Amino acid sequence: MLSWAYLVLGLLGGAAASLQIIPGATWTAKGSNAHIQAHGGSITKVGDTYYLIGENKLNGSAFQSIRCYTSKDLVQWTFSNNLLTLASSGDLGPNRVVERPKVIQNSSGQWVMWMHIDSSSYGEAKVGVATSSSICGTYQYIRSFQPLGRQSRDMGLFKDTDGSGYLLTEDRQSGLRIIKLTSDFKDVAQDTYLFPSHYEAPAMIKVNGRYFMFASLLTGWDTNDNKFTTSTSLTSGWSSWANFAPSGERTYDSQTTAILQVGSNYMYMGDRWFSGNLMRSSYIWLPLTISGSSASISWYVNWIIDPNTGAARAGPSENSYEGENATLSGGAAKVSCSGCSGSSAVGYIGATSGSGGSIRWSSVSSSTSTTTTLRFKHENGDTKQRFAIVNVNGNSQTIAFLPSSDGNTPASSSVTVSLNAGSSNVITVSGTGSGYGPDIDRVMVPTS
């Protein structure tokens, strides 16, 4: 596997805190105390605030809402608003498909959302358009249509440096299209380019005058080696498609949804889909290296990004604290887990009523006083999230734990906490009073 030394990105930088992005983990949002539901989405920065907008899949594949979350640091996210919600009928009605929402601001300051609109059988293949006066406000749905009379499924948006807007759309009959938008970004104007090869999940950036298009092969919900192509012109000269992650890694088991520019650097955003239970789908965000006409990502269990410059570095080394070596109380007990560290975990945390079992680690070490990210390795055999109260040095928060793949392969859940310098930190996981929490294998604590 890759070394956890500093990322060789040419963009290393320090940070006062060690807040970490944990690809593929449960990410609990403030304001909902549940896993972020922003699938197929993208991030837009306005002022010093990042806005994450995507699909809510909490109750399956049919449309429920488009959600907006906000953050100052790209790690701690707060649920802010449902931008579009379920209607009684029409495009936003029951059993409808509303996917891959993307937003773009026009010259009058209005925010325009484009999205894939379809029937449950994917037989309509349309785009939908909605508008709002604020990026995270309530949007007014306008209409759906096939752009220039052609099919459109997976789609993205791109705003060029000259202010022009473009729809990136998968036309299943012909290929991947770039279509210029009208000046108000509410309609399509004209074709710009057709890639005759069949790709979906498109995303585009422009770096030093060169366009980079990222996209996925068509393999259903299964992941594949996503590709990229480049050109200095939108209308011609596109290079052959090539991998941007190591061959055979299937883009680290993810599918492209967006590329975010942070300062002068870039972050890959991918979805890790679980088609049988879309609610538990997670997010693979990784540093994206652009050099000349090349693009690449590498895998990191945890990494740190400067939210102002995009400078990225690997997360700090960690100490592992085993669940079975902690202090157990209230009915919490050691349980077998063949894939867990030490082949054991701690179960019966919480209870169906009352506080129930809990687990407590004392003498947890940190070399400095810092705000950082803990990684809990856990098991959850349910089809829904489980919840627990995580208390660190007297500060409590409710944290979500997504279902794990089976009873013996731990998943990860991340939580932002404050640690004190020294070895007197105390971490407790207990029930919420309304059901059992996860089985805890161990907690990974940054050393600095």
Side-chain angles (χ1 to χ4, degrees):
M1 296 298 291
L2 297 171
S3 167
W4 306 124
Y6 281 127
L7 307 182
V8 184
L9 297 172
L11 44 83
L12 301 182
S18 59
L19 298 177
Q20 300 152 52
I21 292 174
I22 314 294
T26 306
W27 295 353
T28 303
K30 299 175 183 177
S32 67
N33 294 331
H35 180 55
I36 291 172
Q37 294 293 319
H39 310 288
S42 64
I43 295 174
T44 303
K45 187 178 185 183
V46 179
D48 64 351
T49 301
Y50 289 96
Y51 295 86
L52 170 62
I53 294 172
E55 310 161 32
N56 172 16
K57 297 293 190 185
L58 192 60
N59 295 309
S61 61
F63 174 64
Q64 298 149 65
S65 65
I66 302 300
R67 289 190 170 184
C68 177
Y69 299 81
T70 59
S71 176
K72 301 289 188 180
D73 54 33
L74 293 168
V75 175
Q76 301 177 93
W77 291 94
T78 299
F79 170 70
S80 292
N81 192 27
N82 285 310
L83 310 189
L84 292 172
T85 55
L86 184 65
S88 59
S89 61
D91 285 344
L92 307 184
N95 301 312
R96 295 291 294 174
V97 170
V98 181
E99 297 177 333
R100 298 189 175 272
K102 303 293 188 293
V103 298
I104 188 171
Q105 189 176 33
N106 63 25
S107 59
S108 66
Q110 189 177 47
W111 290 92
V112 184
M113 180 189 295
W114 288 69
M115 68 214 85
H116 171 207
I117 296 291
D118 225 318
S119 63
S120 58
S121 64
Y122 286 85
E124 296 178 7
K126 301 186 294 184
V127 293
V129 179
T131 61
S132 176
S133 60
S134 61
I135 185 171
C136 205
T138 300
Y139 281 68
Q140 179 182 1
Y141 186 75
I142 299 174
R143 66 178 181 129
S144 66
F145 60 99
Q146 289 194 330
L148 301 177
R150 304 188 191 98
Q151 293 185 9
S152 177
R153 290 185 174 85
D154 280 9
M155 46 74 54
L157 293 176
F158 171 69
K159 190 174 185 179
D160 207 345
T161 49
D162 66 359
S164 300
Y166 295 86
L167 173 68
L168 318 174
T169 174
E170 181 229 338
D171 174 358
R172 189 66 56 88
Q173 292 177 321
S174 302
L176 181 62
R177 294 184 180 275
I178 302 174
I179 302 176
K180 190 173 184 178
L181 302 178
T182 53
S183 59
D184 62 3
F185 300 159
K186 297 179 186 178
D187 203 348
V188 291
Q190 62 189 40
D191 281 324
T192 299
Y193 191 77
L194 170 66
F195 297 93
S197 303
H198 289 277
Y199 290 92
E200 63 181 4
M204 185 185 287
I205 55 173
K206 187 179 184 181
V207 184
N208 297 326
R210 179 175 291 275
Y211 300 95
F212 289 76
M213 173 76 88
F214 299 82
S216 166
L217 300 170
L218 274 65
T219 54
W221 293 106
D222 296 331
T223 52
N224 57 69
D225 286 338
N226 287 198
K227 309 289 184 180
F228 82 101
T229 176
T230 77
S231 177
T232 56
S233 170
L234 287 176
T235 60
S236 63
W238 288 93
S239 65
S240 298
W241 292 88
N243 294 343
F244 59 93
S247 178
E249 291 288 349
R250 295 175 291 110
T251 327
Y252 301 113
D253 197 16
S254 73
Q255 183 184 45
T256 300
T257 183
I259 306 295
L260 174 66
Q261 180 172 356
V262 185
S264 59
N265 300 297
Y266 300 88
M267 183 176 78
Y268 166 79
M269 298 175 60
D271 290 296
R272 179 173 286 175
W273 299 110
F274 291 93
S275 60
N277 187 2
L278 288 171
M279 174 275 300
R280 66 173 285 228
S281 300
S282 58
Y283 311 97
I284 305 301
W285 295 358
L286 292 166
L288 174 66
T289 302
I290 302 291
S291 178
S293 60
S294 69
S296 62
I297 59 174
S298 296
W299 176 255
Y300 295 92
V301 170
N302 55 354
W303 64 285
I304 297 168
I305 187 169
D306 185 311
N308 299 309
T309 68
R313 57 190 173 98
S317 59
E318 300 169 313
N319 289 323
S320 177
Y321 295 86
E322 294 289 336
E324 59 267 30
N325 295 333
T327 299
L328 311 183
S329 60
K334 180 178 176 181
V335 296
S336 176
C337 173
S338 63
C340 293
S341 177
S343 299
S344 297
V346 173
Y348 303 101
I349 294 171
T352 54
S353 63
S355 57
S358 65
I359 180 172
R360 182 176 185 268
W361 294 271
S362 302
S363 304
V364 175
S365 295
S366 175
S367 65
T368 185
S369 295
T370 184
T371 302
T372 190
T373 307
L374 307 185
R375 291 192 299 125
F376 283 96
K377 303 299 290 184
H378 73 275
E379 282 289 333
N380 173 5
D382 296 339
T383 58
K384 297 183 178 181
Q385 300 171 82
R386 292 187 187 182
F387 301 92
I389 295 173
V390 175
N391 183 297
V392 178
N393 298 329
N395 298 309
S396 294
Q397 49 190 313
T398 300
I399 300 299
F401 297 81
L402 287 174
S404 47
S405 58
D406 54 51
N408 292 294
T409 305
S412 293
S413 182
S414 61
V415 55
T416 300
V417 303
S418 294
L419 295 178
N420 301 319
S423 57
S424 60
N425 295 284
V426 178
I427 301 173
T428 302
V429 181
S430 58
T432 62
S434 58
Y436 283 106
D439 293 353
I440 298 292
D441 172 21
R442 62 195 189 276
V443 60
M444 312 298 290
V445 181
T447 59
S448 61

